[in-house]
Amino acid sequence: MIGTRAFPVHLDRVLLTRVARLEARLLWRNRTALFVAAGMPLLFVGMLVPMHGKRIQGVDAALLQGTGHLALFLLFAVFMNLATVFTTRREDGTLKRMRGTALGDAEILGGSVLTATVLYMAQVAVLAVVLVAAFGGRAPADPVLTLAGIAGGVVVFALLASVVSGITPTTELTQLTVLPVMFACMAGAGVMFPLGVLPEVVQQSLRALPLTPVVEIVRTGYFGRDFTAHGVPPAVGVGGGWVACLPSFAILAAWAAVARRLAARAFRWDPRRS
């Protein structure tokens, strides 16, 4: 199990960076994993073209969906990527061997998380440029709020990846065990279509998904409008955006707490065959 040693107060940044560099090299050599983590999201950019010029919730449909993709890419670069990495490293004995070195648990796992986060932020940066250059986008109205939502999403989905890894017996099965979370988030987090078109009881249920609050926070920060509200989102100031997103942050915090608890029980360091 991960145990309390996996989350110390102090991290050795030098060791963390070294592990992250190793993970980056391994990711580069695994072209299938690299395509899933980096190439798949690029396919979603193509979906924005036919939506440009249409209006949904008072904003350009391409920008609305594009800002949703800023959150959606968490599923590929962080969640699916890390679930596969953790399972593969466990089953080939790498985690066990690394744990016998001077590396702490946090450096071992944190290196993988750091690499996935850098990959994800690169995707976010590229998409942000595309939104401005091709679809008439703009800089976020509240960049700090936008980044706070993104950071919260990284934490939650990294923890969820460790939970899924713990219950996945082989690397090959990771492609299946990640699907329930991915399909639920892709279909019901308000990325592909606004939640406002659904019945109220369904909307409230879908807002409890781990990706939904990230989408709401990112969109609120980007447009300067309250995307936690129903219908056409009203304009909010910088402070108003944070206040509007408090329930979304609360949902993210709850997911982080639950996922961390589950990870402490489910995550394995030794190969299952041992």
Side-chain angles (χ1 to χ4, degrees), residues 34-49 69 72-73 76 122-124 126-127 130:
L34 184 62
F35 173 76
V36 171
M40 281 290 289
L42 297 179
L43 300 179
F44 284 86
V45 175
M47 299 179 183
L48 304 180
V49 177
H69 287 173
L72 183 69
F73 290 175
F76 303 101
Q123 295 175 355
V124 167
V126 170
L127 178 56
V130 171

Side-chain angles (χ1 to χ4, degrees), residues 101-154:
T101 67
L103 294 170
D105 292 356
E107 284 82 22
I108 296 172
L109 300 181
S112 299
V113 174
L114 179 58
T115 300
T117 301
V118 171
L119 175 62
Y120 168 58
M121 292 307 298
Q123 295 175 355
V124 167
V126 170
L127 178 56
V129 171
V130 171
L131 292 180
V132 173
F135 301 107
R138 44 164 287 177
D142 188 343
V144 178
L145 178 59
T146 302
L147 289 174
I150 286 173
V154 169

Side-chain angles (χ1 to χ4, degrees), residues 83-101:
T84 303
V85 166
F86 290 154
T87 305
T88 302
R89 303 287 181 269
R90 182 195 71 219
E91 290 305 303
D92 65 13
T94 299
L95 289 183
K96 186 176 182 178
R97 291 192 297 271
M98 293 177 73
R99 217 180 186 200
T101 67

Side-chain angles (χ1 to χ4, degrees), residues 164-237:
V164 170
S165 171
I167 63 175
T168 304
T170 66
T171 302
E172 292 74 18
L173 286 177
T174 310
Q175 310 304 315
L176 296 178
T177 53
V178 299
L179 291 182
V181 174
M182 295 190 68
F183 281 162
C185 290
M186 290 174 68
V191 178
M192 300 304 177
F193 57 88
L195 295 182
V197 302
L198 301 173
E200 179 67 22
V201 64
V202 178
Q203 289 184 45
Q204 296 308 317
S205 298
L206 295 179
R207 282 196 164 94
L209 292 172
L211 189 65
T212 309
V214 183
V215 174
E216 292 176 340
I217 295 169
V218 168
R219 283 176 171 166
T220 299
Y222 187 89
F223 291 105
R225 298 186 179 191
D226 180 8
F227 274 87
T228 69
H230 302 288
V232 177
V236 292

